[in-house]
Amino acid sequence: MSRLISFEGGDGAGKSTQAALLVERLRLAGKDTILVREPGGTPLGEQLRPLIKGEAPASPTAELLMFEAARAELVREVIRPALRAGTIVVSDRFSDSTIAYQGYGRGMDMEIIENLNRIATDGLQPHITLLLDIEPADALARVGSQPGSQPGAQPGKRIDPAGQQKFEEQPLEFHERVAEGYRTLAREDPSRWFVIDASRPVEQIAERVWSVVGSVLKI
Ligand code: TYD
């Protein structure tokens, strides 16, 4: 059992908040737990992050390979060693993000993506994947993003340190394809995927997350 738990979902679904809350709860339960995020989590990944998110123009293929390079480093340098030491790893996004965004969202070849995912993850799959499911229009309104608009300075708008919002700025249809892609993945493998209604208040989502993780890991 890998004890890798991933959070997936569209932009603004609340993954980062829920991932942090889950880590806190696992630690309170006495479990050694680390939190990682994609893209990022290693010196290479953190340097690639602003580039991937739009600091430098990149073709879809170059973008795909940067996500996979960041992932390969994270798996080998952080995730695998932690799992070997018996630590639970909570990941804010993992390889399914690439299937959802580059595959369903951008329409890139699924077979190529799956092959690259296998190489980057070294065959590692999450034990539990929590899909925070929310209508893209509601989620994007939450983060103050306006699909299809240029990055700008609207009040309340979430600005990444790199100042870029490459994916959040995609048209609504892109986010709808991503959301539908995630739902398809969840339907195809219900033993790993747990779909959680992310339109609910934060505490209710956290309770649902905990009931899934607690019962699967028998905590
Ligand atoms: P981030 O700020 O981490 O967004 P979020 O808080 O929604 O996770 O930025 C990561 C962006 O990169 C996000 O829009 C999803 C996208 N992404 C992909 O397109 N493919 C991938 O493989 C991963 C990991 C992320």
Side-chain angles (χ1 to χ4, degrees):
M1 182 170 84
S2 76
R3 304 231 289 181
L4 168 62
I5 302 169
S6 61
F7 278 88
E8 293 288 354
D11 296 82
K15 291 175 310 299
S16 307
T17 304
Q18 292 300 328
L21 288 171
L22 175 62
V23 168
E24 204 176 291
R25 199 136 182 196
L26 284 163
R27 287 181 181 156
L28 278 174
K31 304 289 174 193
D32 269 344
T33 308
I34 61 164
L35 174 63
V36 296
R37 71 166 176 182
E38 279 210 7
T42 63
L44 177 70
E46 292 298 330
Q47 288 207 35
L48 282 172
R49 185 177 170 87
L51 296 175
I52 294 173
K53 293 191 73 177
E55 211 168 63
S59 65
T61 305
E63 173 194 87
L64 168 66
L65 293 171
M66 286 195 282
F67 277 120
E68 299 293 3
R71 179 168 302 134
E73 189 73 1
L74 184 65
V75 166
R76 284 157 185 79
E77 296 304 315
V78 180
I79 298 180
R80 282 276 195 212
L83 293 174
R84 265 199 301 274
T87 301
I88 297 176
V89 179
V90 174
S91 190
D92 184 351
R93 299 193 178 282
F94 198 58
S95 46
D96 298 301
S97 280
T98 315
I99 299 178
Y101 278 78
Q102 279 63 50
Y104 287 100
R106 292 232 194 273
M108 298 182 78
D109 187 303
M110 284 293 186
E111 209 180 308
I112 291 176
I113 293 174
E114 278 162 14
N115 283 329
L116 289 172
N117 273 348
R118 244 191 315 277
I119 293 167
T121 61
D122 189 25
L124 180 68
Q125 274 238 339
H127 186 58
I128 302 171
T129 298
L130 299 147
L131 172 57
L132 298 192
D133 186 40
I134 184 169
E135 281 310 316
D138 298 343
L140 293 167
R142 237 195 225 176
V143 291
S145 187
Q146 296 179 348
S149 69
Q150 289 304 305
Q154 288 100 330
K157 191 164 178 167
R158 190 177 75 169
I159 300 289
D160 196 79
Q164 300 290 338
Q165 300 191 312
K166 198 173 176 191
F167 290 97
E168 287 172 15
E169 297 293 333
Q170 291 289 325
L172 188 57
E173 303 80 68
F174 173 90
H175 295 281
E176 281 167 351
R177 286 197 300 276
V178 170
E180 218 24 72
Y182 273 130
R183 290 175 192 139
T184 303
L185 289 172
R187 264 196 309 275
E188 283 170 353
D189 188 1
S191 64
R192 167 162 77 92
W193 286 81
F194 297 84
V195 182
I196 294 177
D197 177 359
S199 66
R200 296 183 164 278
V202 170
E203 307 75 45
Q204 284 182 26
I205 300 172
E207 275 315 305
R208 175 90 181 96
V209 166
W210 181 245
S211 80
V212 168
V213 171
S215 74
V216 175
L217 298 187
K218 302 191 173 57
I219 293 170

